Structures are given as structure tokens and as C-alpha cells.
Amino acid sequence: MTVRPRIRLPRSASAGDSIVVKTLINHDMESGQRRNSAGETIPRQIINRFTCEYNGVMVIDVALEPAISANPYMEFEALVPESGEFLFTWYDDNGEVYTATEAFEVS
Amino acid sequence: MLTRRDTIAIGIGASAAVLLPVTGAYALTTEEAITAYTGGADMAEGGVTITAPEIAENGNTVPISVEAPGATEIILIATGNPTPNVGRFTFGPGSGAPMVATRIRLGRTQDVMAIAKMEDGSFASTAVEVKVTIGGCGG
Amino acid sequence: MQHLKPAKSLALASACVAALWSGAAMADPDPTAELLIDGEIPITVRAPSDDGLTPYLPERYSGWLFRSAETRSLQADDFENPAMLAVEVGAELWETADGSAGQSCMDCHGDAEESMAGVRARMPHVNDNGELWSMENYINNCRTERMGAEEWRWSGDEMTSMTSFISLQSRGMPVAVQIDGPAAPYWEQGQEIYYTRFGQLELSCASCHEESYGLNIRADHLSQGQITGFPTYRLKNAGMVSIHNRFRGCIRDTRAETFAEGSEEFRALELYVASRGMGLDIEGVSVRP
């Protein structure tokens, strides 16, 4: 299934505010600890890292373990000193990297 | 109406999938996970707040949030999971507050622990118990 | 209408309601909770009962009311509701051409917000040939007859994504299934299945969902078994669950051989169970443990 990130930012904020950022991405987060019906271990495949930057400044850098639920959800706060762009990056065990950008305007 | 006996029988019959096995080949103990992070340094009590349900309806998706004013990084440890580490959250200069909310997997009823690394390099921790119920209906 | 239910259950049902009202031992279901999605879309989760359809229920309750505050809140916010991931996949499938005819759903049906509004509320429905069809049958019929595409598996990812997307277009609309006329024999068949005890545990749908709702089955709160929330994102599966998949799980838990997803029996049961939710709103896509 196509991996598609979802991002939610508040509609507006003033320069210098701290805003709540919510992200969700569809991913099985296969833990590597489950077995299939034939009794074989299903190989681990998780998103192992997630980062959020705003205008090139790191907001949060997360190391994820298999104990993070499928379709990983992250909510955190970011400073928005000026208008700009969020960059979200998810790193998959299989080497793939998923990114999303989101412009944000302060008043 | 169901008698208690019926209810127990249904429970046994329901093939609830085991989320996480109780033992793992590469299991790190909780103690090891803590020491690996703190290097054995003392941890202050308090200053870290975990918000989690007292009872999780399903251990596969447990909403949890943690905040620690003055922290630069927080780790979450599920002390009763076969691999206790859950995640490490590092707050950069663009962070608005040292807090994060996510959803985690808990294999059974257990304490969930948060350790915060403070700006001065010291550590603080807290733990809350989350009861994980075993549903009656395997579906 | 014929009722196969012994009269004594009325008293039992009332006792169980009391248990729901005062219970809340394990999780914390709240029979007075109101579902307002994103602060602007109200969903009817309680509806009056009537002697015609549910003589043994004092009131009709969505399964949402039986869930913990945390699970309920996941459904009250479209961003936090993980079922919306499936809706987005479904929306993309809607616009994607497939099969030898090179057609997408949208090529015939246009904007789903208009063409699919209310469809979920009317399902299952007797088709032009007099057969009772679930939404999955209509979708697969379009695929094989009009698009020249392969059928989707009843509970496969594509199908549940599509049913999620289509169901969302009926969110907040009350159940509107037809149960008379050509639908009457199917409704009666469904009612008979509902009250038939299956499996080694000899449980009928009614044993749990009419006589015992509000009580715990191990650590789960038994709901009234309403299907207005389906397809639902089950936290346990971390994915979408179809109505028939849930039926199958229930019957299997009675330690019985179950009917197949898509079978005539399950379509009839779907109609009967849907009718027991008249007055409740379709929830589009719900979240359940």
C-alpha cells in the first residue's frame, strides 16, 4: 500500500508562537516478533526514525522502536518565529525515506 | 444472561492474537535499558509527567503523552515488554515544548517509564502503571 | 413480524442496562457521551427503541458508547482517527482506472460526495434481480461487469478502503434500510440467524448483544452489536474490519463453523442487524478496540 503521511497544523499562529503539530503515516510497523501461519518469524520492518524541521531548524528527532504502534502517530510542539516550511521525514527499515512538506504562515 | 462459567469458557475459546511474545531472543532487560541510557547516573523523581490510560482497551494501540519541562530528550521504556525500549525523543532548537504524544504497544499490564535528560545533563524519571485488558472477543 | 425471543429476556435486558449505567468497572463506557466529530459533525449514537424492531432493547446504542474515553476520543477527531488513512486510500482508488474498460469509479459515479451520499445507510439492499446485496457486492459487480477488472476480496485492503470511503459519504445520516417488500424474506432469515444459538458454547447473537450488553465478557464491554460504525478501525488489528469479518469472528468465538463473508446468511444477518439500528447515524468510519 502506498505510504502517505498526514500532517495537521493549526490554521493560524503569531510569530514566535509554539504550535501543536500532529503527524500520522500508514505503516505496519512489523515488529519482527510475530510469526506467520507457517510458524516463520515475519521480518522486522518499522519506521525507525522520524524528524521534523522548520526552516531548517530541528524541531524533534525521534528514534522509534517496534513498540510504537502501527500507523505511527506523533504530536509535538514547534516554534514558528517566522513564516516558512515544515519538513517531515520518516526513515523505513527497508531504506526508503518518506518526506512531506507543509508551508506555514504566521501573522 | 451469561454465567461466569460461560464467560470464562468464551475467553478461553477466543483466540486473541498474542501481540508480543513474553520472551525475546535479544531481549534487553529494563535495568539494562536504563543503564544504557543514563550510564548508571542517579535519576530525580518528578519533573516528568506521563499521561496514559489507567486501563488500555487494547494493548496494540495505547495513547500516551509525556512532558518534562527543561528536558532536551525523553525516552520511553515499557518495562513489561520483551524489548523495553519504546522510543527516544530529542527536542531540537525549534521545539516549542519538551512534550510528545504517540501510541504504543504494550504486551501486558506493566509500568511505563519515562526518563528525561535535562539541560544540565542530569536525569529525571517517572513511571505509571497501565493495565492492559485481554479482550473477550478474538474477532 | 415474528419474534423468536422468549419474553423473559425483557427483564434481563433491563437489568443489563442498569449494569451499563452504573458499571464502568474496567474501562469507562459512558452512556451519556455525545459524539461530535471535529467539533462540528454531530453523530446520533442513541435512538429510541420500538416494539417492531427491537422489543427487547429499551434504547438503541452505538458501540461507540461502550468504549473507553481514549478510544471514543480517537473517533471524535478526523485527524486522530486512523480509519481516515483507509478513507484516503479509498478516495484514490475511486479515481483510479482499472480493468479492461479503462474506467474508474469516478468515470461513472462522478463526485462521491454527491453520488454516494446515503448509500451506506441503505445497505444491504435488494438489487434489480431480487437478490440482497451488500455494498461489497455492488462494488465487485461494477468491477467485473463494467470495468472488466478483477473482483476484490471481501475483506481485503482495497475493498475495506473503498467501503470506508463510500461509508464516509453517509456519515451522520440515519440508517435507512428497506426491510419490507422484496427485502422481507431476507430480514426474516436474518432475524432467525440472530436468535439461533451456534457453536459449542451455544450462543446466539442475542445472548451477548441483546441480553448481556453492558456486561463484561472477560475484559471487553459487550455492546448491542450495532453495525453503524462499520467498517471500523480495530485497534487490535491496526486495520479496517468489515461487517462480515466481525460476524465471522463472533460466530467463531462461539466455537462454531462460521458462514463465509459474503454468504447469503451473512447478508441476511447484515440486513436484520442494520434494521436494529434504525434511528442511529452511520458513523462513516469508527474506531473500536
Side-chain angles (χ1 to χ4, degrees):
Chain A
M1 195 178 287
T2 321
V3 173
R4 65 191 69 232
R6 302 186 83 211
I7 315 289
R8 182 187 273 180
L9 303 172
R11 289 195 181 93
S12 61
S14 303
D17 278 359
S18 175
I19 64 168
V20 174
V21 180
K22 298 179 179 185
T23 71
L24 191 66
I25 190 165
N26 57 329
H27 196 284
D28 288 344
M29 294 292 282
E30 190 59 59
S31 69
Q33 297 176 356
R34 298 197 311 157
R35 290 175 191 278
N36 64 18
S37 52
E40 299 151 343
T41 301
I42 305 170
R44 171 182 139 154
Q45 192 196 332
I46 68 167
I47 287 175
N48 58 55
R49 186 180 177 209
F50 163 73
T51 61
C52 168
E53 293 168 47
Y54 186 64
N55 289 342
V57 177
M58 187 63 79
V59 173
I60 193 168
D61 187 343
V62 183
L64 294 81
E65 302 289 339
I68 299 288
S69 302
N71 304 322
Y73 172 83
M74 292 289 158
E75 178 183 330
F76 48 90
E77 292 190 26
L79 291 174
V80 284
E82 70 279 312
S83 296
E85 190 175 73
F86 280 99
L87 170 64
F88 304 91
T89 313
W90 292 261
Y91 299 83
D92 194 308
D93 271 352
N94 72 1
E96 283 193 71
V97 176
Y98 319 109
T99 59
T101 55
E102 202 70 46
F104 191 76
E105 273 195 37
V106 298
S107 54
Chain B
M1 189 178 296
L2 292 172
T3 64
R4 169 176 287 204
R5 181 173 302 231
D6 287 337
T7 311
I8 292 167
I10 294 161
I12 293 165
S15 58
V18 177
L19 300 171
L20 298 162
V22 273
T23 56
Y26 50 92
L28 189 71
T29 67
T30 295
E31 288 299 315
E32 286 166 346
I34 296 169
T35 309
Y37 187 64
T38 65
D42 286 343
M43 295 185 289
E45 294 280 329
V48 189
T49 308
I50 296 175
T51 306
E54 193 182 330
I55 299 163
E57 275 192 301
N58 194 293
N60 217 357
T61 313
V62 182
I64 188 167
S65 68
V66 57
E67 60 181 321
T72 58
E73 189 171 270
I74 298 174
I75 66 164
L76 278 177
I77 293 178
T79 62
N81 274 5
T83 44
N85 281 327
V86 174
R88 188 183 69 233
F89 308 90
T90 310
F91 305 104
S95 169
M99 71 75 61
V100 67
T102 186
R103 298 166 186 166
I104 68 173
R105 292 165 168 159
L106 298 177
R108 58 182 170 89
T109 295
Q110 58 182 275
D111 284 343
V112 177
M113 187 178 190
I115 303 175
K117 183 190 280 182
M118 298 305 186
E119 280 156 2
D120 63 3
S122 67
F123 294 95
S125 76
T126 193
V128 298
E129 188 190 46
V130 178
K131 291 192 176 71
V132 175
T133 62
I134 299 165
C137 304
Chain C
M1 288 175 201
Q2 184 192 6
H3 295 295
L4 309 166
K5 192 74 193 54
K8 64 164 182 147
S9 289
L10 186 55
L12 288 174
S14 306
C16 293
V17 175
L20 172 62
W21 263 212
S22 61
M26 291 300 292
D28 51 350
D30 179 0
T32 66
E34 298 287 349
L35 177 52
L36 184 66
I37 293 172
D38 286 349
E40 56 189 27
I41 306 166
I43 304 291
T44 302
V45 290
R46 274 177 301 277
S49 185
D50 65 65
D51 285 347
L53 289 167
T54 48
Y56 306 105
L57 297 180
E59 200 174 6
R60 296 175 188 148
Y61 307 121
S62 159
W64 182 80
L65 292 169
F66 294 83
R67 305 332 323 174
S68 73
E70 290 83 14
T71 308
R72 289 200 308 273
S73 71
L74 285 178
Q75 196 184 324
D77 182 317
D78 272 354
F79 187 82
E80 299 196 6
N81 182 348
M84 288 298 160
L85 290 164
V87 168
E88 289 190 358
V89 173
E92 192 170 303
L93 288 170
W94 179 265
E95 300 175 2
T96 306
D98 195 6
S100 56
Q103 297 240 299
S104 70
C105 305
M106 193 169 67
D107 288 332
C108 288
H109 298 288
D111 182 354
E113 264 187 53
E114 288 174 25
S115 64
M116 293 294 123
V119 166
R120 168 69 177 83
R122 294 193 295 274
M123 291 287 144
H125 185 77
V126 177
N127 69 14
D128 295 341
N129 296 326
E131 290 174 276
L132 182 71
W133 272 10
S134 299
M135 195 197 295
E136 288 88 344
N137 297 111
Y138 284 95
I139 292 169
N140 267 341
N141 186 63
C142 268
R143 290 185 57 78
T144 57
E145 303 306 309
R146 296 195 200 178
M147 298 167 70
E150 295 277 313
E151 279 195 1
W152 280 333
R153 281 193 304 118
W154 195 273
S155 289
D157 282 344
E158 294 94 345
M159 183 63 91
T160 55
S161 296
M162 183 58 74
T163 57
S164 295
F165 174 66
I166 293 174
S167 296
L168 187 72
Q169 315 310 325
S170 298
R171 178 158 77 175
M173 299 182 184
V175 174
V177 284
Q178 185 190 11
I179 59 172
D180 55 4
Y186 296 110
W187 185 88
E188 279 166 24
Q189 181 188 4
Q191 186 192 43
E192 180 153 349
I193 293 170
Y194 189 88
Y195 286 109
T196 301
R197 290 174 176 269
F198 290 100
Q200 293 177 323
L201 298 178
E202 295 186 31
L203 292 170
S204 69
C205 303
S207 307
C208 286
H209 297 292
E210 183 169 88
E211 298 172 24
S212 310
Y213 67 86
L215 299 179
N216 281 332
I217 186 162
R218 294 223 286 185
D220 262 352
H221 264 95
L222 284 170
S223 73
Q224 286 186 348
Q226 298 287 358
I227 55 174
T228 42
F230 280 78
T232 187
Y233 186 94
R234 266 196 98 182
L235 301 179
K236 173 181 170 291
N237 303 50
M240 302 308 295
V241 171
S242 69
I243 296 167
H244 290 199
N245 187 267
R246 181 61 263 188
F247 286 168
R248 198 182 62 170
C250 271
I251 294 191
R252 190 201 53 213
D253 286 350
T254 71
R255 300 191 197 168
E257 290 287 330
T258 86
F259 302 110
E261 294 176 354
S263 62
E264 187 190 320
E265 289 87 353
F266 273 174
R267 282 180 275 130
L269 182 62
E270 181 185 341
L271 176 64
Y272 175 70
V273 174
S275 77
R276 294 173 61 93
M278 293 271 201
L280 296 174
D281 279 350
I282 296 300
E283 293 172 25
V285 278
S286 68
V287 184
R288 301 287 186 262

